[in-house]
């Protein structure tokens, strides 16, 4: 039977001195997915990533890689681009890329071959003998991306991969990520850029205060946070439209495109169906489109984190009193 | 290739390729050689070889003076009794480097004045002084014999033997011993300090470059730390070997350049007048005092070299690992903008203290302070390195062995401590470097 999940974390706990970085976190990362690992600063994302990379070990719980406990052998199947990334400034680009590729278990010949292909693809072959200190930040970022993917990892962990890139290079890297996804690479994508999450991810986990607060396929999460609002784009009289709202709808937002064209956002006040509203306005207005307004990841993030913080804040407040 | 080896190789190659490494490796032996060769070169430049033609009116002492020379830069030629004035004048005028010494007929027995010295160049005070001394020495020997009936050649011979017994008994010339002691201590001090600090800088560089997280996703922290320490240690050993080998080469060149065979010192036979006025063999060194010092230095170095080459690597490896692990702790626990000085000080104090003790060894090699500090692990690498020329291997071998065993025992603890702190501290940014935090990180990685 084919294994569905590349990573399964079960009730993982990690403590640092008097601080709990992860508290019984359970995450399943489907094979071949682009998995968004989200959360506010200090939520525990980097700790979780470090546990997968075996930079540190969990105090409790376990992390399985293809259903097997993580071992040193798995290191070469993982590529990791941390948010705070750097290179040895005094070393030459090629020499350094070779070193990092070999550290990932590649042979010298294999590393040279793959690196040459990547350098060629990014059109940076002439940087091979340059010293890293002579490169710009964007150039160094490209090298860092290459050394992360050069050993063809099955799991790629990208922590804020677009930081430091201009829009052109951001697009280049985005395309490479999607290309790698097509080839079957599983990608863990940690970012605060919610737009790129919507564009790239198909699953997400939101961690807050060391615990998982939201998890699942992105569409399901969006549904879960859907506010039951609809956007209606019509041509006609606004008074006619407002009169029809008596069927049990509330006008949330009105956008006047022209004197006779509007885009409005409405929400049912009870259990009413959108069909009832449409039936009432269809005789006086020409409807161009109707669609359910799904929640944006940005709003989901803020709402979920706020909800998760509420009871704790309340408890804190009671304790203080 | 194993990952440890990869890290080790990177640390080694990047440092060995640096210009500063080559510069230090080449300059150090040249400085040492310069200190030895400079006096000789200076002497050579002032003492150009001169031929002194002896016109001997005493009819007896010319031959003796010819063989009683004290410098190889003076070549006495006793002119035959039947040599004409024209013949002497011809040789004298044809060369700037030829002088004529006209020995008075009363010189030696009655007068202490040898006579007139003619020269047509600029012989310099050194040459004239040497000729004067040679003549006076001859005069002294004759006068001593005349007054006391004592043959000074015999006395010199006995004194010479006594000196030889002294040197052979203790292996190394005592004066050279003190230099070797200082050099050994200084070399160890520099190597431990320079390469220890390099470990700290290397660790801090990876942390401040932010490459540490990338590297740690490929290799375990402790392996990375060991790769770094061993790589830098190997650079130290390479530098050490480079300095030793090039020093040996340079000293060999000096020796051949001087064209001196030390064994010839006591075998050079010259003829001198005995108590009965007959010519006999006598052992008289034919080198200047500066040359003799150099010969003894080279011979002593040769005698000390095997001990040095066997024991010093152990002391360096132990001392380096001990201090490198402490330096690695400071490096991993620091942040790029942290002031590390106050945390380096407790590490450098024992190193500096060791060097201070090492400087006292030449005056009192058997003091209690030297004895105990040469075995105490924090001071033994430098103090024992400095004490090595004074070690009597027949009775003191166990002290060296104890020092090495204790040192490596201590290394086991220091490296374990360093590994524990390193693996937690290396990823800690923004936390203050403090003893409290170091203790916390040590405990944290206890599991």
């Amino acid at each position: 039977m084919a294994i569905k999940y590349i990573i399964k974390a079960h009730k993982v706990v990690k403590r640092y001195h008097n601080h709990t970085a992860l508290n019984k976190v359970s995450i399943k990362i489907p094979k071949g997915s682009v998995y968004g690992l989200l959360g506010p600063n200090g939520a525990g994302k980097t700790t979780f990533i470090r546990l997968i990379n075996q930079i540190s070990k969990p105090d409790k719980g376990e992390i399985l890689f293809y259903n097997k406990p993580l071992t040193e052998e798995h290191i070469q199947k993982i590529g990791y681009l941390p948010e705070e990334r750097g290179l040895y400034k005094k070393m030459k680009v090629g020499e350094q890329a070779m070193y990092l590729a070999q550290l990932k278990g590649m042979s010298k010949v294999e590393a040279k071959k793959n690196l040459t292909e990547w350098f060629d693809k990014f059109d940076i072959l002439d940087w091979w003998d340059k010293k890293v200190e002579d490169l710009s930040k964007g150039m160094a970022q490209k090298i860092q991306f290459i050394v992360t993917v050069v050993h063809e990892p099955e799991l790629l962990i990208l922590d804020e991969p677009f930081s430091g890139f201009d829009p052109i290079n951001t697009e280049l890297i985005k395309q490479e990520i999607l290309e790698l996804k097509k080839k079957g690479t599983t990608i863990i994508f940690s970012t605060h850029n919610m737009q790129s999450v919507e564009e790239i991810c198909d699953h997400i986990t939101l961690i807050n205060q060391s615990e998982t607060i939201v998890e699942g396929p992105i569409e399901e999460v969006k549904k879960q946070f859907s506010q039951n609002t609809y956007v209606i784009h019509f041509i006609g009289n606004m008074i006619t439209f407002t009169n029809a709202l008596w069927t049990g709808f509330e006008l949330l937002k009105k956008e006047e495109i022209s004197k006779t064209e509007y885009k409005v956002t409405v929400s049912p006040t009870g259990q009413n169906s959108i069909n009832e509203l449409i039936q009432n306005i269809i005789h006086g207005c020409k409807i161009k489109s109707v669609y359910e307004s799904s929640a944006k990841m940005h709003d989901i993030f803020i709402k979920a984190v706020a909800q998760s913080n509420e009871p704790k804040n309340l408890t804190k407040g009671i304790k203080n009193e | 290739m194993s990952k440890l080896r990869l890290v080790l190789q990177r640390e080694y190659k990047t440092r060995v390729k640096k210009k500063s490494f080559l510069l230090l490796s080449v300059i150090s032996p040249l400085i040492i050689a310069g200190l030895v060769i400079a006096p000789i070169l200076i002497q050579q430049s002032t003492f150009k070889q001169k031929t002194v033609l002896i016109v001997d009116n005493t009819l007896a002492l010319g031959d003796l003076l010819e063989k009683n020379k004290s410098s190889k830069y003076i070549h006495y030629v006793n002119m035959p009794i039947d040599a004409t004035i024209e013949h002497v004048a011809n040789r004298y005028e044809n060369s700037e480097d030829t002088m004529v010494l006209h020995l008075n007929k009363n010189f030696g027995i009655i007068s202490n004045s040898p006579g007139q010295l003619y020269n047509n160049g600029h012989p310099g005070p050194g040459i004239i002084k040497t000729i004067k001394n040679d003549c006076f020495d001859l005069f002294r020997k004759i006068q001593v014999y005349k007054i006391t009936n004592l043959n000074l050649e015999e006395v010199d011979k006995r004194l010479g033997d006594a000196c030889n017994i002294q040197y052979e008994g203790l292996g190394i010339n005592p004066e050279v011993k003190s230099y070797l002691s200082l050099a050994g201590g200084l070399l160890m001090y520099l190597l431990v300090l320079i390469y220890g600090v390099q470990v700290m800088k290397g660790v801090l560089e990876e942390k401040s470059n932010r490459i540490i997280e990338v590297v740690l996703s490929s290799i375990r922290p402790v392996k990375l730390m060991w790769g770094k320490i061993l790589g830098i240690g190997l650079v130290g050993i390479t530098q050490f070997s480079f300095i030793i080998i090039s020093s040996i080469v340079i000293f060999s060149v000096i020796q051949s350049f001087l064209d001196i065979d030390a064994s010839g010192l006591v075998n050079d036979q010259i003829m001198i007048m005995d108590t009965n006025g007959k010519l006999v063999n006598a052992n008289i060194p034919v080198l200047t005092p500066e040359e003799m010092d150099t010969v003894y230095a080279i011979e002593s170095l040769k005698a000390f070299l095997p001990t040095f080459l066997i024991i010093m690597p152990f002391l360096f490896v132990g001392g380096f690992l001990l201090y490198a692990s402490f330096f690695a702790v400071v490096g991993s626990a620091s942040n790029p903008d942290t002031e590390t000085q106050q945390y380096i000080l407790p590490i450098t104090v024992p190193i500096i203290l060791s060097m201070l003790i090492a400087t006292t060894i030449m005056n009192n090699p058997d003091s209690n302070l030297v004895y105990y500090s040469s075995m105490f692990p924090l001071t033994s690498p430098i103090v024992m390195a400095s004490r090595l020329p004074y070690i009597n291997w027949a009775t003191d071998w166990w002290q060296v062995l104890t020092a090495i065993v204790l040192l490596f025992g201590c290394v086991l603890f220091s490296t374990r401590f360093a590994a524990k702190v390193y693996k937690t501290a290396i990823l800690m940014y923004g936390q203050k470097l403090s003893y409290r935090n170091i203790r916390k990180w040590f405990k944290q990685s206890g599991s």
Side-chain angles (χ1 to χ4, degrees), chain B residues 360-361 363-371 387 390-391 396:
Chain B
T360 68
I361 292 178
N363 294 327
N364 195 358
D366 299 321
S367 73
N368 279 342
L369 179 69
V370 169
Y371 176 82
R387 212 190 134 194
Y390 295 97
I391 291 286
D396 301 339

Side-chain angles (χ1 to χ4, degrees), chain A residues 36-41 45 160 162 174 189-201 204-207 218 221-222 295-305:
Chain A
L37 191 62
L38 316 175
N41 293 330
K45 303 184 299 289
E160 293 291 358
F162 307 125
K174 206 179 270 179
F189 186 53
S190 175
T191 182
H192 289 134
N193 183 340
M194 293 301 132
Q195 198 190 328
S196 55
V197 171
E198 301 215 27
E199 283 171 18
I200 299 177
C201 297
I204 63 142
T205 275
L206 181 54
I207 300 176
I218 199 158
V221 171
K222 279 185 169 187
K296 298 274 180 216
M297 278 313 299
H298 177 82
D299 301 326
I300 293 172
F301 186 101
I302 292 171
K303 195 174 174 186
V305 171

Side-chain angles (χ1 to χ4, degrees), chain A residues 50 54 80 86 88 103-104, chain B residues 3 206 209 213 217 220:
Chain A
R50 282 179 183 169
Q54 302 178 60
Y80 175 37
Y88 294 106
L103 267 188
K104 277 290 181 191
Chain B
K3 291 180 181 179
E206 278 177 343
N209 268 354
E213 198 143 353
S217 67
R220 296 268 160 88

